[in-house]
Amino acid sequence: RGVRSLWTWGNADFGKHGGGGDAVAEVFAHELLEPTEMQGVGLAPENLHQIVAGGAHTMLVTVTGRLLSCGFGETGQLGRGDLQSESFLDDVEGLGPVAMASCGHWHSAAVTRSGDLNTWGSNKHGQLGVMLPGGEAETAVPIQVAALAGAKVIAVACGARHTLA
């Protein structure tokens, strides 16, 4: 100990702890009953800027502005271009350097260093703040919230089915 590290515990379904395993295992099949150091994330903890936990997914923001996600992805909330759950952290692409992020249960959001707000995941309740093409219910890639373009957003928070910025 004494070296910076990243720890996780509690329910680890869908790979939301980022350390691998079965991302589609039976619900409550994975429980970490005490703090466990995250291994194999390929990211030095001293490079972490923010750790974000959602209902069933996780995101990390690095000091250089990379955004990584893992966990439950059925509605695109991982922002990795598909509707798959993933047990390893990987980059969310299509954003500039990220200043901060937030996870709801079914959606996610990130504020870039230039102040743009991007959202992705479920839009069933309008939580993305955009109308998706063709009336789609979700998007698996970040999309800029046009209504706030030029507003220089500084913070975002996602609830289960709503967003604030």
Side-chain angles (χ1 to χ4, degrees):
R1 303 216 178 160
V3 174
R4 291 180 65 177
S5 54
L6 183 60
W7 297 76
T8 184
W9 56 93
N11 179 266
D13 292 343
F14 308 108
K16 62 186 162 219
H17 57 78
D22 187 355
V24 293
E26 185 175 326
V27 175
F28 301 118
H30 302 290
E31 302 286 336
L32 301 175
L33 301 179
E34 57 185 44
T36 304
E37 189 172 9
M38 289 179 72
Q39 300 291 327
V41 297
L43 187 66
E46 61 271 15
N47 292 330
L48 293 178
H49 170 68
Q50 183 187 23
I51 303 165
V52 187
H57 67 296
T58 301
M59 295 194 304
L60 305 177
V61 179
T62 70
V63 295
T64 60
R66 282 178 64 201
L67 178 64
L68 299 98
S69 67
C70 66
F72 188 67
E74 188 174 282
T75 62
Q77 63 267 56
L78 298 184
R80 291 164 55 172
D82 59 34
L83 305 179
Q84 302 297 313
S85 294
E86 300 289 347
S87 61
F88 286 102
L89 288 159
D90 203 359
D91 290 286
V92 176
E93 297 183 2
L95 299 167
V98 171
M100 71 151 317
S102 183
C103 300
H105 190 86
W106 308 105
H107 73 296
S108 301
V111 177
T112 65
R113 290 182 179 167
S114 62
D116 294 328
L117 176 63
N118 292 268
T119 58
W120 58 94
S122 173
N123 200 32
K124 185 175 181 182
H125 302 280
Q127 62 264 51
L128 300 185
V130 297
M131 295 296 296
L132 296 176
E136 292 292 320
E138 68 232 353
T139 180
V141 295
I143 188 166
Q144 186 176 357
V145 179
L148 298 178
K152 300 292 184 199
V153 175
I154 59 169
V156 65
C158 296
R161 295 178 181 93
H162 69 290
T163 307
L164 299 104

